[in-house]
Amino acid sequence: MKDESLVLKITAVAAVATAFTTFLLWLLPRLYQVGSFEEALSLPANGYYMSRLWVNFFHIPLALTAYFGLAYKLRNRELPKVALGFVWFVIWGIVEMIGVAIIIFSINRTWRNGYAMASDTQRELMKNNIEALLSVWDSIFFVLLVAFFLGTLLY
């Protein structure tokens, strides 16, 4: 019983923190504008934009902790469905964390930050990389949504 109490306390803290980070993920994009490609180059210097990315990155393990706690609580009633639902949530989490890390480090830290000092040829390559990766992210985001939907459906 002591272990279950600890798991539920951790779950409750993670759930409250997840609610707070969800609010921030709603609020922060309203505090900056994303316009043309050239305007987007300055996004790594925008505190609201970078905060949104980092909040998103840490939101995922918080949410997974809360989902795990719910699975732990429901394990005796619906183990197969809950276990499969949690697997889908883990897939969601891994996919989203990888995507956000790519945006933080590859797109923002490397390509957008290096754009101003690059040669014309390098700039064209960086622009193509950024646009291609953001396009690929749209496809990856579809996988993320399906995994989240299936996790939610099974829970």
Side-chain angles (χ1 to χ4, degrees):
M1 194 64 160
K2 185 179 177 184
D3 290 340
E4 183 165 340
S5 176
L6 178 61
V7 169
L8 294 179
K9 286 177 185 176
I10 292 169
T11 299
V13 169
V16 169
T18 300
F20 179 69
T21 57
T22 299
F23 170 73
L24 288 176
L25 291 173
W26 170 83
L27 174 67
L28 290 168
R30 287 157 175 72
L31 302 176
Y32 62 88
Q33 296 287 332
V34 179
S36 67
F37 177 82
E38 288 70 25
E39 292 171 345
L41 291 172
S42 65
L43 284 175
N46 185 304
Y48 295 125
Y49 171 76
M50 292 307 295
S51 294
R52 181 189 62 85
L53 291 173
W54 282 107
V55 166
N56 193 4
F57 188 81
F58 289 107
H59 168 82
I60 299 157
L62 290 170
L64 285 173
T65 302
Y67 296 142
F68 174 80
L70 183 57
Y72 184 83
K73 185 66 178 168
L74 296 174
R75 72 191 183 281
N76 293 329
R77 284 194 280 165
E78 298 284 343
L79 183 60
K81 283 182 9 183
V82 169
L84 186 56
F86 187 69
V87 167
W88 282 111
F89 279 128
V90 168
I91 292 169
W92 157 77
I94 291 169
V95 169
E96 186 157 7
M97 284 184 89
I98 290 169
V100 171
I102 288 170
I103 292 170
I104 291 170
F105 295 103
S106 294
I107 291 179
N108 288 308
R109 188 173 180 197
T110 302
W111 295 327
R112 284 181 176 156
N113 277 341
Y115 191 85
M117 295 181 292
S119 68
D120 289 342
T121 304
Q122 290 172 320
R123 283 183 182 180
E124 190 62 32
L125 181 60
M126 288 176 169
K127 182 177 182 181
N128 290 338
N129 286 346
I130 291 169
E131 290 174 347
L133 198 49
L134 291 175
S135 175
V136 169
W137 173 240
D138 289 343
S139 301
I140 293 170
F141 196 78
F142 176 75
V143 172
L144 174 156
L145 288 177
V146 169
F148 191 83
F149 172 75
L150 291 173
T152 303
L153 184 67
L154 289 164
Y155 266 38

